[in-house]
Amino acid sequence: MATLVLATMDDNFVTDLPVMQEKIVELLSATPTSSPSSTTRADIYLLLRALVLKTSAIHLATLWPIINAELHVAISSVVAPDHSTPSDTYNNYSILQACKLLDTLLCIAPDDFQLHEWLFITDTIDAVYRPSSFRPVSLVDELSEELGLAATTNTTALQTESSSVAVSQAAKYSMRRPLLGRMKGGFGINDEGTWERKDELVAKVLRPFFSQLSIFAFESTYGMGATDWEACRQGLLKDLFDERSIVRAL
């Protein structure tokens, strides 16, 4: 379905959105043992990426509460204990696709989503210049701190390095692009891999992504660059036709 949405004209499925939303809500209630199971979540996130890229924001008003709630639960599951309900519900590929949905939303910045982006990232100058008393409130920065503490005791050095990398990435191009996914010129965080083990996904993709996202989004926003819609579409297209994605989702 995501491929069909991406291939058609903008707003082509506006009249079908209520039915699609009903089905999305139904599938998002799936569990690891239900039929269909929760492994379909990654496909739902791909569909949502297609919808936000091809549908005017005014038509997506009723979807935002669903998207915001699902993103929060899905991304939070990164630190869920093994064999817990969130850990069993969200597999590695689902988590990666949830992060890519968030990445896309921050890139294209729909007006209604901007009202809630503070839930996910630090959208003030604190993202770049953190005061000594800074305590993360946003989900991504809380996860970054938690995963960073698990990986190293030198969190200050880690934050400084992440800040430098994110600023460098944002300055590479005049247009706003997603951070996840390697593009031409070495831009972006490389997410290619099978990612059967969560610790590998966290170490190589999610930890760098979480640590850089707020800074990258802030620098991209105030760089005043236009959104690179083609890069967003190409990133989605690559995921839709990635055979490894199909294998991971099974």
Side-chain angles (χ1 to χ4, degrees):
M1 188 64 191
T3 307
L4 184 59
V5 172
L6 191 62
T8 56
M9 297 182 296
D10 290 356
D11 292 329
N12 190 68
F13 286 93
V14 167
T15 56
D16 300 302
L17 277 177
V19 176
M20 294 172 70
Q21 179 173 322
E22 184 178 341
K23 191 63 177 179
I24 287 170
V25 171
E26 178 186 335
L27 290 173
L28 289 178
S29 66
T31 67
T33 57
S34 64
S35 181
S37 74
S38 55
T39 56
T40 58
R41 269 180 164 77
D43 296 320
I44 297 301
Y45 303 151
L46 288 167
L47 173 59
L48 289 171
R49 276 171 71 190
L51 286 173
V52 299
L53 287 172
K54 300 292 288 186
T55 309
S56 300
I58 192 172
H59 301 302
L60 299 174
T62 57
L63 271 175
W64 294 122
I66 299 168
I67 292 174
N68 290 337
E70 182 63 20
L71 279 178
H72 199 282
V73 177
I75 296 174
S76 296
S77 71
V78 172
V79 293
D82 291 341
H83 309 301
S84 63
T85 299
S87 178
D88 292 339
T89 301
Y90 298 93
N91 61 31
N92 292 347
Y93 189 58
S94 296
I95 294 171
L96 178 60
Q97 286 303 325
C99 289
K100 286 196 167 190
L101 174 57
L102 174 61
D103 196 19
T104 300
L105 288 170
L106 291 171
C107 180
I108 65 177
D111 289 342
D112 287 346
F113 181 75
Q114 288 185 59
L115 297 174
H116 302 97
E117 70 176 21
W118 64 271
L119 295 170
F120 300 100
I121 62 167
T122 301
D123 57 357
T124 66
I125 193 65
D126 287 349
V128 181
Y129 303 105
R130 295 190 173 182
S132 58
S133 59
F134 178 78
R135 292 292 180 272
V137 174
S138 66
L139 174 63
V140 163
D141 290 310
E142 285 184 340
L143 290 173
S144 174
E145 187 168 279
E146 184 170 346
L147 294 173
L149 286 172
T152 179
T153 56
N154 193 350
T155 55
T156 302
L158 183 66
Q159 290 169 355
T160 302
E161 180 183 356
S162 297
S163 176
S164 176
V165 172
V167 171
S168 174
Q169 290 276 26
K172 272 189 177 182
Y173 296 93
S174 58
M175 302 183 75
R176 293 163 58 103
R177 293 182 170 188
L179 180 59
L180 268 178
R182 183 70 75 188
M183 300 182 188
K184 291 181 180 179
F187 181 90
I189 296 172
N190 187 5
D191 67 320
E192 294 183 359
T194 55
W195 311 128
E196 294 177 0
R197 291 173 48 187
K198 181 178 283 189
D199 59 338
E200 288 186 357
L201 176 64
V202 168
K204 296 181 179 180
V205 179
L206 299 184
R207 187 181 293 125
F209 176 65
F210 292 152
S211 66
Q212 297 176 36
L213 186 59
S214 288
I215 307 166
F216 177 78
F218 183 87
E219 293 288 346
S220 296
T221 298
Y222 290 96
M224 305 298 288
T227 299
D228 191 340
W229 290 90
E230 184 60 24
C232 294
R233 286 189 288 265
Q234 287 298 322
L236 175 56
L237 198 62
K238 182 179 179 181
D239 285 345
L240 287 171
F241 290 95
D242 185 353
E243 292 182 0
R244 292 167 303 175
S245 302
I246 300 172
V247 173
R248 285 197 295 266
L250 294 177

